[in-house]
């Protein structure tokens, strides 16, 4: 059986919320970051690099490395590890610098 | 020879001296590029300099940078001969800018007037309503930390250069440099390339050199598609550089980088070595940049960094022997122009040490020029 850190601290979280990632529903517990929720849903990558189009996800997980950038509600370059998951948020994979509109 | 300082100037001096067959020890109390070099933008500019000795030094130095890029590879230095574009907000500023460009042309600088309706051809995202500008094709850029490291690497490859980092100089006398980590270094001459800390090094020898720190912040935006093609700055910047005031001066200097982020300078304040972040300064820089490039208004800043320019009261560097200690050569105090002026500074130092006729008269850079007022 998989152990959950929630059991370890005997957490009693509020009911889960839902946001969308590339059009698919993702469940998150209140207080979780976007990165944590995506990770929990089995997704490890949510950005493609500017050079080489390579997959990227959470690396440091604490706001320092800027690897986990994602497009959140239309705004690119948001650090998924710091952004709280909010009900109904529209999260999308970020392509490159996320600023195609400036090209 | 002992070179004190492993920043851009020290690296260029070590390279120039080793190339001439001299044995050199480069000593720095910190790491390579741990001071002002590591906190700069890497400006190689002729555009911001009025005719005179500094411009003469800059023209030769930018020529040498072009040679270095050929020898070491442009990529190894992130050398970009992108050119500069200075813009004027109103007709009066444009007239002044054109007049100063005219004088620079007479001093050998290439400067092309750009009328208001021609600006967007050079920079498509520039704000409307500017009065005009001047394009300076000689202005260029390097990544200063990479460039200094590349020059040190080449110098060490001669087998004649030792690099002693984490080694503080504790005493200076003719023929002797005392250090905390490597004992006494015996040498024929000492080059003071300690930048903003050049005054402290001079003091170890009993000499006086009034180098003061002039703080500057740089904003780094999120990575963007290429939006800004040149070094672009408002004509007010030149007046800021020349100001002797301790108060805050700021004018936007905007440029894109190979990696994507846009860099936004340049503020100037004399506040000692205070490293604390100043939100009002950052806000002012951001606003001034967005005024030049409205597209930046919705762009996010990822971080800011700061450094301390080595400021001398007349805005000229100190290059040459100490007036009372011919064995001590100063090569510091370049304020915000040290990266650009490094190769020509190193060439002057090498020529002076070799007893060769210098390529230009270094009298204006004489370190003794500050003594008169005191005695």
């Amino acid at each position: 059986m998989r152990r959950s850190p929630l059991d370890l601290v005997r957490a009693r979280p509020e009911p889960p919320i839902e946001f969308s990632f590339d059009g698919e529903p993702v469940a998150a517990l209140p207080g979780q970051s976007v990165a944590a929720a995506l990770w929990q849903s089995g997704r490890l990558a949510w950005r493609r690099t500017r050079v080489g189009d390579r997959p990227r996800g959470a690396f440091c997980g604490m706001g320092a490395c800027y690897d986990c950038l994602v497009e959140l509600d239309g705004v690119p370059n948001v650090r998924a590890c710091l952004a709280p998951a909010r009900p109904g948020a529209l999260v999308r994979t970020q392509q490159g610098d996320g600023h195609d509109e400036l090209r | 020879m002992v070179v004190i300082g492993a920043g851009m100037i020290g690296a260029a001096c070590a390279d120039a001296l080793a190339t001439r067959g001299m044995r050199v020890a480069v000593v720095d109390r910190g790491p390579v590029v741990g001071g002002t070099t590591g906190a700069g933008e890497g400006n190689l500019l002729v555009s911001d300099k009025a005719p005179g000795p500094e411009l003469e030094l800059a023209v030769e130095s930018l020529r040498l940078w072009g040679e270095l890029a050929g020898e070491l590879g442009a990529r190894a230095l992130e050398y970009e001969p992108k050119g500069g574009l200075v813009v004027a907000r109103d007709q009066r500023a444009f007239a002044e800018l054109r007049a100063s460009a005219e004088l620079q042309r007479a001093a050998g600088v290439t400067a092309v007037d750009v009328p208001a309706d021609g600006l967007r051809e050079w920079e498509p995202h520039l704000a409307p309503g500017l009065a005009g500008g001047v394009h300076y094709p000689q202005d260029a850029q390097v990544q200063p930390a990479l460039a200094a490291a590349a020059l040190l690497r080449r110098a060490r490859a001669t087998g004649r250069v030792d690099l002693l980092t984490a080694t503080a100089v504790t005493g200076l006398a003719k023929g002797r440099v005392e250090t905390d980590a490597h004992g006494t270094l015996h040498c024929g001459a000492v080059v003071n390339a300690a930048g903003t800390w050049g005054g402290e090094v001079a003091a170890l020898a009993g000499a006086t050199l009034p180098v003061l720190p002039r703080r500057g912040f740089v904003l780094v935006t999120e990575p963007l598609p290429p939006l800004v093609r040149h070094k672009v700055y408002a004509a007010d910047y030149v007046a800021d550089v020349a100001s002797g005031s301790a108060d805050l001066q700021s004018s936007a200097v905007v440029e894109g980088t190979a990696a994507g982020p846009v860099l936004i300078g340049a503020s100037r304040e004399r506040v000692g070595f205070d490293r604390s972040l100043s939100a009002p300064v950052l806000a002012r820089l951001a606003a001034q940049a967005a005024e030049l490039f409205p597209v930046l208004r919705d762009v996010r800043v990822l971080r800011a960094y700061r450094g301390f320019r080595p400021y001398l009261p007349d805005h000229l560097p100190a290059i040459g022997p100490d007036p009372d200690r011919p064995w001590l050569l100063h090569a510091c105090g370049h304020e915000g122009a040290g990266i650009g002026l490094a190769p020509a500074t190193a060439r002057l130092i090498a020529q002076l040490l070799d007893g060769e006729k210098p390529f230009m008269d270094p009298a204006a850079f004489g370190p003794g020029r500050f003594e008169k007022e005191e005695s």
Side-chain angles (χ1 to χ4, degrees):
Chain A
M1 193 192 120
R2 245 167 92 175
R3 298 205 55 185
S4 158
L6 296 172
D7 304 334
L8 291 174
V9 297
R10 294 188 201 95
R12 284 178 297 151
E14 314 254 311
I17 53 115
E18 199 177 275
F19 65 89
S20 94
F21 174 71
D22 287 345
E24 291 171 22
V26 175
L29 292 174
Q32 263 185 327
S33 67
V34 169
L38 287 172
W39 237 357
Q40 198 171 41
S41 76
R43 294 170 173 90
L44 297 180
W46 47 83
R47 175 168 76 91
R48 310 291 300 190
T49 58
R50 310 195 288 285
V51 179
D53 189 36
R54 296 172 61 83
R56 287 292 185 276
F59 178 63
C60 78
M62 57 183 205
C65 76
Y66 284 79
D67 234 15
C68 67
L69 300 177
V70 73
E71 188 186 306
L72 174 60
D73 291 332
V75 179
N77 291 319
V78 175
R79 284 170 285 181
C81 69
L82 296 188
R86 298 203 195 283
L90 298 174
V91 180
R92 298 196 335 141
T93 292
Q94 177 168 327
Q95 306 291 344
D97 56 40
H99 280 289
D100 269 349
E101 83 285 0
L102 295 177
R103 250 165 254 275
Chain B
M1 305 293 158
V2 170
V3 174
I4 302 174
M8 189 70 246
I9 302 284
C13 287
D15 180 56
L17 298 179
T19 304
R20 287 167 179 253
M22 300 183 213
R23 284 200 56 89
V24 182
V26 180
V27 183
D28 198 296
R29 65 178 174 188
V32 170
V33 304
T36 305
T37 298
E41 286 188 87
N43 282 331
L44 316 182
L45 303 184
V46 292
S47 55
D48 65 338
K49 294 173 182 66
E54 196 190 11
L55 182 60
E56 196 182 334
L57 190 67
V59 169
E60 170 64 2
S61 216
L62 264 61
R63 191 187 67 73
L64 291 171
W65 269 118
E67 275 185 19
L68 285 170
E71 293 160 14
L72 296 163
R75 273 186 68 136
L77 312 173
E78 288 190 13
Y79 173 78
E80 286 186 81
K82 53 163 65 170
L85 183 68
V86 185
V87 297
R89 275 180 242 281
D90 52 44
Q91 287 305 331
R92 209 187 110 199
F94 190 31
E96 281 172 20
L97 177 62
R98 273 181 317 205
S100 92
E102 189 59 47
L103 295 173
Q104 288 168 315
R105 273 192 285 269
V109 170
T110 309
V112 184
D113 293 355
V114 182
D117 60 4
L119 284 174
R120 294 270 188 120
E121 265 172 62
W122 292 96
E123 286 292 346
H125 292 282
L126 263 180
L130 293 164
V134 174
H135 176 236
Y136 293 88
Q138 282 154 302
D139 283 359
Q141 179 176 350
V142 290
Q143 209 281 29
L146 271 183
L151 281 180
L152 271 178
R153 203 175 293 123
R154 180 168 84 170
R156 293 179 80 194
T158 63
R160 291 188 284 274
V161 175
D162 289 319
L163 175 62
L164 309 176
T165 51
T167 302
V169 173
T170 54
L172 271 183
K174 186 177 179 184
R176 299 168 65 90
V177 174
E178 313 289 346
T179 72
D180 61 353
H182 287 89
T184 303
L185 308 173
H186 298 276
C187 56
V190 175
V191 178
N192 172 14
T196 314
W197 299 269
E200 290 171 37
V201 167
L204 289 173
T208 311
L209 199 62
V211 188
L212 294 170
R214 201 175 188 193
R215 185 172 73 179
F217 285 100
V218 175
L219 302 179
V220 184
T221 73
E222 59 187 325
L224 298 167
L227 294 178
V228 183
R229 301 172 182 177
H230 304 83
K231 281 188 180 283
V232 181
Y233 62 88
D236 330 336
Y237 172 75
V238 179
D240 282 0
V241 174
S243 160
S245 165
D247 301 338
L248 169 67
Q249 290 96 40
S250 82
S251 49
V253 177
V254 184
E255 65 185 301
T257 61
V262 168
L263 302 182
I264 299 167
S267 63
R268 297 178 130 75
E269 295 165 281
R270 283 206 278 115
V271 290
F273 285 104
D274 180 357
R275 292 191 60 80
S276 56
L277 198 78
S278 168
V281 178
L282 301 189
R284 194 161 129 175
L285 283 176
Q288 288 173 325
E291 209 179 295
L292 279 185
F293 288 98
V295 65
L296 294 178
R297 216 167 273 153
D298 298 319
V299 159
R300 275 141 16 108
V301 168
L302 294 189
R303 63 191 181 92
Y305 59 89
R306 87 283 278 153
F308 298 97
R309 304 178 185 89
Y311 164 94
L312 280 167
D314 59 2
H315 305 280
L316 291 177
I319 307 171
D322 188 82
D324 305 314
R325 297 159 193 82
W327 51 270
L328 173 62
L329 284 86
H330 300 292
C332 56
H334 295 72
E335 200 169 332
I339 308 300
L341 299 178
T345 298
R347 184 152 178 236
L348 273 182
I349 291 289
Q351 288 175 322
L352 291 168
L353 277 170
D354 243 355
E356 199 178 285
K357 186 180 184 304
F359 73 89
M360 69 175 282
D361 180 7
F365 309 129
R369 66 189 191 271
F370 303 107
E371 277 190 335
K372 289 167 203 147
E373 300 132 44
E374 286 159 39
S375 56

